[in-house]
Coordinates of all heavy atoms in Angstrom, one line a residue:
D16 N 2.2 -10.1 11.4 CA 3.3 -9.1 11.2 C 4.5 -9.4 12.2 O 4.3 -9.6 13.4 CB 2.7 -7.8 11.5 CG 3.6 -6.6 11.4 OD1 4.2 -6.3 12.4 OD2 3.8 -6.0 10.3
V17 N 5.7 -9.4 11.6 CA 6.8 -9.7 12.4 C 7.1 -8.8 13.6 O 7.5 -9.2 14.7 CB 8.1 -9.8 11.5 CG1 8.5 -8.4 11.0 CG2 9.2 -10.5 12.2
Y18 N 6.8 -7.5 13.4 CA 7.0 -6.5 14.5 C 6.1 -6.9 15.7 O 6.5 -6.8 16.8 CB 6.8 -5.1 14.0 CG 7.8 -4.7 13.0 CD1 7.4 -4.3 11.7 CD2 9.2 -4.6 13.3 CE1 8.3 -3.9 10.8 CE2 10.1 -4.2 12.3 CZ 9.7 -3.8 11.1 OH 10.6 -3.4 10.2
K19 N 4.9 -7.2 15.3 CA 3.9 -7.4 16.4 C 4.2 -8.7 17.1 O 4.2 -8.7 18.4 CB 2.4 -7.6 15.8 CG 1.4 -7.9 16.7 CD 0.1 -8.1 16.1 CE -1.0 -8.5 17.1 NZ -2.1 -9.1 16.5
R20 N 4.6 -9.8 16.5 CA 5.0 -11.0 17.1 C 6.2 -10.8 18.0 O 6.2 -11.3 19.1 CB 5.2 -12.1 16.0 CG 4.0 -12.6 15.4 CD 4.2 -13.9 14.6 NE 5.3 -13.8 13.7 CZ 5.1 -13.4 12.4 NH1 4.0 -13.0 11.9 NH2 6.2 -13.4 11.6
Q21 N 7.2 -10.1 17.5 CA 8.4 -9.8 18.4 C 8.0 -9.1 19.6 O 8.5 -9.3 20.7 CB 9.5 -9.2 17.5 CG 10.1 -10.1 16.6 CD 11.2 -9.4 15.8 OE1 11.6 -8.2 16.0 NE2 11.8 -10.1 14.8
A22 N 7.2 -8.0 19.4 CA 6.8 -7.1 20.5 C 6.1 -7.9 21.6 O 6.3 -7.8 22.7 CB 6.0 -5.9 20.0
E23 N 5.1 -8.7 21.1 CA 4.3 -9.4 22.1 C 5.1 -10.5 22.9 O 4.9 -10.7 24.0 CB 3.1 -10.1 21.3 CG 2.1 -9.1 20.9 CD 0.9 -9.7 20.2 OE1 1.0 -10.8 19.7 OE2 -0.1 -8.9 20.0
K24 N 6.1 -11.1 22.2 CA 7.0 -12.1 22.8 C 7.9 -11.4 23.9 O 8.1 -11.9 24.9 CB 7.9 -12.8 21.8 CG 7.3 -14.1 21.4 CD 8.1 -14.9 20.4 CE 9.5 -14.7 20.2 NZ 10.0 -15.6 19.2
R25 N 8.3 -10.2 23.6 CA 9.4 -9.6 24.4 C 8.8 -8.6 25.4 O 9.5 -8.2 26.3 CB 10.3 -8.8 23.5 CG 11.1 -9.8 22.6 CD 11.9 -9.1 21.5 NE 13.0 -8.3 22.1 CZ 13.8 -7.6 21.4 NH1 13.6 -7.5 20.1 NH2 14.7 -6.9 22.0
G26 N 7.5 -8.3 25.4 CA 6.9 -7.4 26.3 C 7.5 -6.0 26.2 O 7.9 -5.5 25.1
V27 N 7.7 -5.3 27.3 CA 8.2 -4.0 27.4 C 9.6 -3.8 26.7 O 9.9 -2.8 26.1 CB 8.2 -3.4 28.8 CG1 8.8 -2.0 28.9 CG2 6.8 -3.3 29.4
S28 N 10.4 -4.8 26.8 CA 11.7 -4.8 26.2 C 11.6 -4.7 24.7 O 12.6 -4.5 24.0 CB 12.6 -6.0 26.6 OG 12.1 -7.2 26.1
A29 N 10.4 -4.9 24.1 CA 10.2 -4.9 22.7 C 10.0 -3.5 22.1 O 9.9 -3.3 20.9 CB 9.0 -5.8 22.4
L30 N 9.9 -2.5 23.0 CA 9.7 -1.2 22.5 C 10.7 -0.8 21.4 O 10.3 -0.2 20.4 CB 9.6 -0.2 23.6 CG 8.3 -0.3 24.4 CD1 8.4 0.5 25.7 CD2 7.1 0.2 23.6
P31 N 12.0 -1.1 21.5 CA 12.9 -0.8 20.4 C 12.5 -1.5 19.1 O 12.8 -0.9 18.0 CB 14.2 -1.3 20.9 CG 14.1 -1.3 22.4 CD 12.7 -1.6 22.7
V32 N 11.8 -2.6 19.1 CA 11.3 -3.2 17.9 C 10.3 -2.4 17.2 O 10.2 -2.4 15.9 CB 10.8 -4.6 18.2 CG1 10.1 -5.3 17.0 CG2 11.8 -5.5 18.8
L33 N 9.6 -1.6 18.0 CA 8.5 -0.8 17.4 C 9.1 0.4 16.5 O 8.4 0.9 15.7 CB 7.6 -0.2 18.4 CG 6.7 -1.2 19.1 CD1 5.9 -0.5 20.1 CD2 5.9 -2.0 18.1
K34 N 10.3 0.8 16.8 CA 11.0 2.0 16.1 C 11.0 1.8 14.7 O 10.5 2.7 13.9 CB 12.3 2.2 16.7 CG 13.0 3.5 16.1 CD 14.3 3.8 16.7 CE 14.8 5.2 16.4 NZ 15.3 5.3 15.0
P35 N 11.5 0.6 14.1 CA 11.5 0.5 12.6 C 10.1 0.5 12.1 O 9.9 1.0 11.0 CB 12.3 -0.7 12.4 CG 12.5 -1.4 13.6 CD 12.2 -0.4 14.7
A36 N 9.2 -0.1 12.8 CA 7.8 -0.2 12.3 C 7.2 1.2 12.3 O 6.5 1.6 11.4 CB 7.0 -1.1 13.2
F37 N 7.5 2.0 13.4 CA 6.9 3.3 13.5 C 7.5 4.2 12.3 O 6.8 5.1 11.8 CB 7.4 4.0 14.8 CG 6.7 5.3 15.0 CD1 5.5 5.4 15.6 CD2 7.3 6.5 14.6 CE1 4.9 6.7 15.8 CE2 6.8 7.7 14.8 CZ 5.5 7.8 15.4
E38 N 8.7 4.0 11.9 CA 9.2 4.7 10.8 C 8.7 4.4 9.4 O 8.8 5.2 8.5 CB 10.8 4.6 10.8 CG 11.4 5.2 12.0 CD 12.9 4.9 12.2 OE1 13.4 4.0 11.4 OE2 13.5 5.5 13.0
R39 N 7.9 3.3 9.3 CA 7.3 3.0 8.0 C 6.1 3.9 7.8 O 5.5 4.4 8.8 CB 6.9 1.5 8.0 CG 8.2 0.7 8.0 CD 7.9 -0.8 7.9 NE 6.9 -1.2 6.9 CZ 6.5 -2.4 6.7 NH1 6.8 -3.4 7.6 NH2 5.6 -2.7 5.7
R40 N 5.8 4.2 6.6 CA 4.8 5.2 6.3 C 3.4 4.6 5.8 O 2.7 5.2 5.3 CB 5.3 6.1 5.2 CG 6.6 6.8 5.5 CD 6.7 7.5 6.8 NE 5.9 8.7 6.8 CZ 5.7 9.4 7.9 NH1 6.1 9.0 9.1 NH2 4.9 10.5 7.8
E41 N 3.1 3.3 6.1 CA 1.9 2.7 5.8 C 0.9 2.9 7.0 O 1.3 2.6 8.1 CB 2.0 1.2 5.5 CG 2.9 0.9 4.2 CD 4.2 0.4 4.7 OE1 5.0 1.2 5.2 OE2 4.5 -0.8 4.3
S42 N -0.3 3.1 6.7 CA -1.4 3.3 7.7 C -1.6 2.1 8.5 O -1.7 2.2 9.7 CB -2.7 3.8 7.1 OG -2.5 5.0 6.4
A43 N -1.6 0.9 7.9 CA -1.9 -0.3 8.6 C -0.7 -0.6 9.6 O -1.0 -1.0 10.7 CB -2.0 -1.5 7.6
V44 N 0.5 -0.3 9.2 CA 1.6 -0.5 10.1 C 1.5 0.4 11.3 O 1.7 0.0 12.4 CB 2.9 -0.4 9.4 CG1 4.1 -0.5 10.3 CG2 3.1 -1.4 8.3
R45 N 1.2 1.7 11.0 CA 1.1 2.7 12.1 C 0.0 2.3 13.1 O 0.2 2.4 14.3 CB 0.8 4.1 11.5 CG 0.8 5.2 12.5 CD 2.1 5.3 13.4 NE 3.2 5.5 12.5 CZ 3.7 6.7 12.1 NH1 3.1 7.8 12.5 NH2 4.8 6.8 11.4
A46 N -1.1 1.8 12.6 CA -2.2 1.4 13.5 C -1.7 0.2 14.4 O -2.0 0.2 15.5 CB -3.4 1.0 12.6
Q47 N -1.0 -0.7 13.8 CA -0.5 -1.9 14.5 C 0.5 -1.4 15.6 O 0.5 -2.0 16.7 CB 0.1 -2.9 13.6 CG 0.3 -4.2 14.4 CD -0.9 -4.8 15.0 OE1 -2.0 -5.0 14.4 NE2 -0.8 -5.0 16.3
V48 N 1.3 -0.5 15.3 CA 2.3 0.1 16.3 C 1.5 0.6 17.5 O 1.8 0.4 18.6 CB 3.2 1.1 15.6 CG1 4.0 1.9 16.7 CG2 4.2 0.5 14.7
V49 N 0.5 1.4 17.2 CA -0.3 2.0 18.3 C -1.0 0.9 19.1 O -1.0 0.9 20.3 CB -1.4 3.0 17.7 CG1 -2.3 3.4 18.8 CG2 -0.6 4.2 17.1
R50 N -1.6 -0.2 18.5 CA -2.2 -1.2 19.2 C -1.3 -2.0 20.1 O -1.5 -2.3 21.2 CB -2.8 -2.2 18.2 CG -4.1 -1.8 17.5 CD -4.7 -2.9 16.6 NE -5.5 -2.3 15.7 CZ -5.2 -2.1 14.4 NH1 -4.0 -2.5 13.9 NH2 -6.0 -1.6 13.5
T51 N 0.0 -2.2 19.5 CA 1.0 -2.9 20.3 C 1.5 -2.1 21.5 O 1.6 -2.6 22.6 CB 2.1 -3.3 19.4 OG1 1.7 -4.1 18.3 CG2 3.2 -4.1 20.2
A52 N 1.7 -0.8 21.2 CA 2.1 0.1 22.3 C 1.1 0.2 23.4 O 1.4 0.2 24.6 CB 2.5 1.5 21.7
K53 N -0.2 0.3 23.0 CA -1.3 0.3 24.0 C -1.2 -1.0 24.9 O -1.4 -0.9 26.1 CB -2.6 0.3 23.4 CG -3.1 1.7 23.0 CD -4.4 1.7 22.2 CE -5.5 0.8 22.8 NZ -6.8 0.9 22.0
K54 N -1.0 -2.1 24.2 CA -0.9 -3.4 25.0 C 0.3 -3.4 25.9 O 0.2 -4.0 27.0 CB -0.8 -4.5 23.9 CG -1.0 -5.9 24.5 CD -1.1 -6.9 23.4 CE -1.7 -8.2 24.0 NZ -2.0 -9.1 22.9
L55 N 1.4 -2.9 25.5 CA 2.6 -2.9 26.3 C 2.5 -1.9 27.5 O 3.0 -2.2 28.6 CB 3.9 -2.6 25.4 CG 4.2 -3.6 24.4 CD1 5.3 -3.1 23.5 CD2 4.5 -5.0 25.0
G56 N 2.0 -0.8 27.2 CA 1.9 0.3 28.3 C 3.1 0.8 28.7 O 4.3 0.5 28.2
G57 N 3.1 1.8 29.6 CA 4.3 2.4 30.2 C 4.6 3.7 29.5 O 4.1 4.1 28.5
P58 N 5.6 4.4 30.1 CA 5.9 5.8 29.6 C 6.4 5.8 28.2 O 6.2 6.7 27.4 CB 7.0 6.3 30.6 CG 7.2 5.3 31.6 CD 6.3 4.1 31.3
V59 N 7.3 4.8 27.8 CA 7.8 4.8 26.5 C 6.7 4.5 25.4 O 6.6 5.1 24.4 CB 9.0 3.8 26.3 CG1 9.5 3.7 24.9 CG2 10.1 4.1 27.3
A60 N 5.8 3.6 25.8 CA 4.7 3.3 24.9 C 3.8 4.5 24.8 O 3.3 4.8 23.6 CB 3.9 2.1 25.4
D61 N 3.6 5.2 25.9 CA 2.8 6.5 25.8 C 3.4 7.5 24.9 O 2.8 8.2 24.1 CB 2.6 7.1 27.2 CG 1.7 6.3 28.1 OD1 1.0 5.4 27.6 OD2 1.8 6.5 29.3
F62 N 4.8 7.6 24.9 CA 5.5 8.5 24.1 C 5.2 8.1 22.6 O 5.0 9.0 21.8 CB 7.0 8.5 24.4 CG 7.8 9.3 23.5 CD1 7.9 10.6 23.5 CD2 8.6 8.7 22.4 CE1 8.6 11.4 22.7 CE2 9.3 9.4 21.6 CZ 9.4 10.8 21.7
V63 N 5.4 6.8 22.3 CA 5.2 6.3 20.9 C 3.7 6.7 20.5 O 3.5 7.2 19.3 CB 5.4 4.8 20.8 CG1 4.9 4.2 19.5 CG2 6.9 4.5 21.0
I64 N 2.7 6.5 21.3 CA 1.4 6.8 21.0 C 1.2 8.2 20.7 O 0.5 8.7 19.8 CB 0.4 6.2 22.1 CG1 0.4 4.7 22.0 CG2 -1.0 6.7 21.8 CD1 -0.2 4.0 23.2
D65 N 1.7 9.1 21.6 CA 1.6 10.5 21.5 C 2.2 11.0 20.1 O 1.7 11.8 19.5 CB 2.3 11.2 22.6 CG 1.5 11.1 23.9 OD1 0.4 10.9 23.9 OD2 2.2 11.4 25.0
R66 N 3.4 10.5 19.8 CA 4.0 10.8 18.5 C 3.1 10.4 17.3 O 3.0 11.1 16.3 CB 5.4 10.2 18.4 CG 6.3 10.8 19.3 CD 7.8 11.1 18.8 NE 8.0 11.1 17.4 CZ 9.0 10.6 16.8 NH1 9.8 9.8 17.4 NH2 9.2 10.7 15.5
A67 N 2.5 9.2 17.4 CA 1.7 8.7 16.4 C 0.4 9.6 16.2 O 0.0 9.9 15.1 CB 1.3 7.3 16.6
L68 N -0.1 10.0 17.4 CA -1.4 10.9 17.3 C -1.1 12.3 16.9 O -2.1 13.0 16.5 CB -2.0 10.9 18.7 CG -2.6 9.5 19.2 CD1 -3.1 9.6 20.6 CD2 -3.7 9.0 18.3
S69 N 0.1 12.7 16.8 CA 0.5 14.0 16.3 C 1.3 14.1 15.1 O 1.9 15.1 14.7 CB 1.2 14.8 17.5 OG 2.4 14.1 17.8
D70 N 1.3 13.0 14.4 CA 2.0 12.8 13.1 C 1.5 13.9 12.1 O 0.3 14.2 12.0 CB 1.9 11.4 12.5 CG 2.9 11.2 11.4 OD1 2.8 11.8 10.4 OD2 3.8 10.4 11.7
G71 N 2.4 14.5 11.4 CA 2.0 15.5 10.3 C 1.3 14.9 9.2 O 0.6 15.7 8.4
D72 N 1.4 13.6 8.9 CA 0.7 13.0 7.8 C -0.7 12.7 8.2 O -0.9 11.8 9.2 CB 1.5 11.7 7.4 CG 0.9 11.0 6.2 OD1 -0.4 11.0 6.0 OD2 1.7 10.4 5.4
P73 N -1.7 13.2 7.6 CA -3.1 13.0 8.0 C -3.6 11.6 8.0 O -4.3 11.1 8.9 CB -3.9 13.8 7.1 CG -3.0 14.8 6.4 CD -1.6 14.2 6.5
K74 N -3.0 10.8 7.0 CA -3.4 9.4 6.8 C -2.8 8.6 8.1 O -3.6 7.7 8.6 CB -2.9 8.8 5.6 CG -3.6 9.1 4.3 CD -3.1 8.3 3.2 CE -3.5 8.9 1.9 NZ -2.9 8.2 0.8
L75 N -1.6 8.8 8.4 CA -1.0 8.1 9.5 C -1.6 8.5 10.8 O -1.9 7.7 11.7 CB 0.5 8.3 9.5 CG 1.3 7.8 8.3 CD1 2.7 8.2 8.4 CD2 1.1 6.3 8.2
R76 N -2.0 9.8 11.0 CA -2.5 10.3 12.2 C -3.9 9.7 12.4 O -4.3 9.2 13.5 CB -2.6 11.8 12.2 CG -3.1 12.4 13.5 CD -3.0 13.9 13.5 NE -3.7 14.5 12.5 CZ -3.2 15.2 11.4 NH1 -1.9 15.3 11.3 NH2 -4.0 15.8 10.5
E77 N -4.7 9.6 11.3 CA -6.0 9.0 11.3 C -6.0 7.6 11.7 O -6.8 7.0 12.5 CB -6.7 9.2 10.0 CG -8.2 8.7 10.0 CD -8.9 8.9 8.7 OE1 -8.6 9.9 8.0 OE2 -9.7 8.1 8.4
A78 N -5.0 6.8 11.1 CA -4.9 5.4 11.4 C -4.5 5.2 12.9 O -5.1 4.3 13.5 CB -3.8 4.8 10.6
A79 N -3.6 6.1 13.4 CA -3.3 6.0 14.9 C -4.5 6.3 15.7 O -4.7 5.6 16.7 CB -2.1 7.0 15.1
E80 N -5.3 7.3 15.4 CA -6.4 7.7 16.2 C -7.5 6.5 16.3 O -8.0 6.2 17.3 CB -7.1 8.9 15.6 CG -6.3 10.2 15.8 CD -6.8 11.4 15.0 OE1 -7.7 11.3 14.2 OE2 -6.2 12.5 15.2
K81 N -7.7 5.9 15.1 CA -8.7 4.8 15.0 C -8.1 3.6 15.9 O -8.9 3.1 16.7 CB -8.9 4.3 13.6 CG -9.8 5.3 12.8 CD -9.9 4.7 11.4 CE -10.9 5.7 10.6 NZ -11.0 5.2 9.2
A82 N -6.8 3.3 15.8 CA -6.3 2.2 16.6 C -6.3 2.6 18.1 O -6.6 1.7 18.8 CB -4.9 1.9 16.1
F83 N -6.1 3.8 18.4 CA -6.1 4.2 19.8 C -7.4 4.1 20.4 O -7.6 3.8 21.6 CB -5.5 5.6 19.9 CG -5.4 6.1 21.3 CD1 -4.4 5.6 22.1 CD2 -6.3 7.0 21.8 CE1 -4.3 6.0 23.4 CE2 -6.2 7.5 23.1 CZ -5.2 6.9 23.9
Q84 N -8.5 4.4 19.6 CA -9.8 4.3 20.2 C -10.4 3.0 20.2 O -11.5 2.7 20.8 CB -10.7 5.3 19.3 CG -10.3 6.7 19.5 CD -11.0 7.6 18.5 OE1 -11.9 7.2 17.7 NE2 -10.7 8.9 18.6
E85 N -9.8 2.0 19.5 CA -10.3 0.6 19.5 C -10.3 0.1 20.9 O -9.4 0.3 21.7 CB -9.5 -0.3 18.6 CG -9.6 0.0 17.2 CD -8.6 -0.8 16.4 OE1 -7.8 -1.6 16.9 OE2 -8.6 -0.7 15.1
K86 N -11.3 -0.7 21.2 CA -11.3 -1.5 22.5 C -10.4 -2.7 22.3 O -10.4 -3.3 21.3 CB -12.7 -1.9 22.9 CG -13.6 -0.8 23.2 CD -14.9 -1.2 23.8 CE -15.8 0.1 24.1 NZ -17.0 -0.3 24.7
E87 N -9.7 -3.0 23.4 CA -8.8 -4.1 23.3 C -9.6 -5.4 23.3 O -10.5 -5.6 24.1 CB -7.8 -4.1 24.5 CG -6.6 -4.9 24.2 CD -5.6 -4.7 25.3 OE1 -5.3 -3.4 25.6 OE2 -5.0 -5.6 25.8
E88 N -9.2 -6.3 22.4 CA -9.9 -7.6 22.3 C -9.3 -8.5 23.3 O -8.1 -8.5 23.6 CB -9.7 -8.2 20.9 CG -10.4 -7.5 19.8 CD -10.3 -8.1 18.5 OE1 -10.0 -9.4 18.4 OE2 -10.4 -7.4 17.5
P89 N -10.2 -9.4 24.0 CA -9.7 -10.4 24.9 C -8.7 -11.4 24.1 O -9.0 -11.6 22.9 CB -10.9 -11.1 25.4 CG -12.0 -10.7 24.6 CD -11.6 -9.4 23.8
E90 N -7.8 -12.0 24.8 CA -6.9 -12.9 24.1 C -7.7 -14.1 23.6 O -8.6 -14.6 24.3 CB -5.8 -13.4 25.1 CG -4.9 -12.3 25.5 CD -4.1 -11.8 24.3 OE1 -3.6 -12.7 23.5 OE2 -3.9 -10.6 24.3
K91 N -7.4 -14.6 22.5 CA -8.1 -15.7 21.8 C -7.4 -16.9 22.3 O -6.2 -17.0 22.4 CB -8.1 -15.6 20.3 CG -9.0 -14.4 19.9 CD -9.0 -14.3 18.4 CE -9.8 -13.1 17.9 NZ -9.7 -12.9 16.6
A92 N -8.1 -18.0 22.6 CA -7.6 -19.3 22.9 C -6.8 -19.9 21.8 O -7.1 -19.6 20.6 CB -8.7 -20.2 23.4
E93 N -5.8 -20.6 22.1 CA -5.0 -21.2 21.0 C -5.8 -22.2 20.2 O -5.5 -22.4 19.0 CB -3.7 -21.9 21.6 CG -2.7 -20.9 22.1 CD -2.1 -20.1 21.0 OE1 -1.7 -20.7 20.0 OE2 -1.9 -18.9 21.1
S94 N -6.7 -22.9 20.9 CA -7.5 -23.9 20.1 C -8.9 -23.7 20.4 O -9.3 -23.1 21.3 CB -7.0 -25.3 20.6 OG -7.4 -25.5 22.0
A95 N -9.7 -24.4 19.6 CA -11.2 -24.2 19.7 C -11.7 -25.0 20.8 O -12.8 -24.8 21.3 CB -11.8 -24.6 18.4
G96 N -11.1 -26.0 21.3 CA -11.6 -26.9 22.3 C -10.5 -27.4 23.2 O -9.3 -27.0 23.1
P97 N -10.9 -28.2 24.2 CA -9.9 -28.8 25.1 C -8.8 -29.6 24.4 O -9.0 -30.2 23.4 CB -10.6 -29.6 26.1 CG -11.9 -29.9 25.4 CD -12.2 -28.8 24.4
A98 N -7.6 -29.6 24.9 CA -6.5 -30.4 24.3 C -6.7 -31.8 24.5 O -7.2 -32.2 25.5 CB -5.2 -29.9 24.9
K99 N -6.4 -32.6 23.5 CA -6.5 -34.0 23.6 C -5.1 -34.7 23.7 O -4.3 -34.3 23.0 CB -7.2 -34.6 22.4 CG -8.7 -34.1 22.3 CD -9.4 -34.7 21.0 CE -10.8 -34.2 21.0 NZ -11.5 -34.7 19.9
L100 N -5.0 -35.6 24.6 CA -3.7 -36.2 24.8 C -3.6 -37.4 23.8 O -4.6 -38.1 23.5 CB -3.6 -36.8 26.2 CG -3.6 -35.8 27.3 CD1 -3.6 -36.5 28.7 CD2 -2.5 -34.8 27.2
K101 N -2.4 -37.6 23.3 CA -2.2 -38.7 22.4 C -1.8 -39.9 23.2 O -1.2 -39.8 24.2 CB -1.0 -38.4 21.4 CG -1.4 -37.2 20.4 CD -0.3 -37.0 19.5 CE -0.6 -35.9 18.5 NZ 0.4 -35.6 17.5
D102 N -2.2 -41.1 22.7 CA -1.9 -42.4 23.4 C -0.5 -42.7 23.2 O 0.1 -42.5 22.2 CB -2.8 -43.4 23.0 CG -4.2 -43.2 23.5 OD1 -4.4 -42.6 24.5 OD2 -5.2 -43.5 22.7

């Protein structure tokens, strides 16, 4: 997802990138916004999460709640094994 990639690259400065994603009305997008905000942390991320958890749309609120309760996965390695040098 483009919003997630931009947010992860930019860190806390990516919070404005989450705004257009937050405004979308799909459950999967709302869940990803909450996951990304959790990862970024800080007061603005907390505000985004709070708004998601209190959304008037039950589907979006439920998606946010599930994403908020998920345990954070450890970062996956870029490759399955050690890098090999080319000759």
Side-chain angles (χ1 to χ4, degrees):
D16 176 270
V17 70
Y18 296 118
K19 179 184 176 192
R20 287 193 307 272
Q21 286 181 5
E23 288 176 348
K24 265 180 23 179
R25 295 170 66 181
V27 175
S28 68
L30 286 168
V32 172
L33 293 180
K34 185 176 188 289
F37 187 88
E38 292 171 349
R39 293 183 49 188
R40 306 305 291 169
E41 297 105 295
S42 297
V44 175
R45 183 58 57 89
Q47 191 57 55
V48 167
V49 170
R50 287 185 201 103
T51 303
K53 275 177 44 177
K54 191 172 195 172
L55 295 173
V59 177
D61 290 345
F62 175 78
V63 169
I64 293 168
D65 287 342
R66 288 219 24 224
L68 293 174
S69 62
D70 196 293
D72 183 326
K74 285 187 197 176
L75 295 177
R76 190 173 56 249
E77 183 179 328
E80 289 169 355
K81 285 181 180 179
F83 183 71
Q84 293 171 1
E85 291 173 358
K86 291 187 180 184
E87 200 168 312
E88 293 183 25
E90 292 296 318
K91 295 181 182 174
E93 289 292 318
S94 65
K99 294 182 181 179
L100 298 175
K101 294 183 180 180
D102 293 325

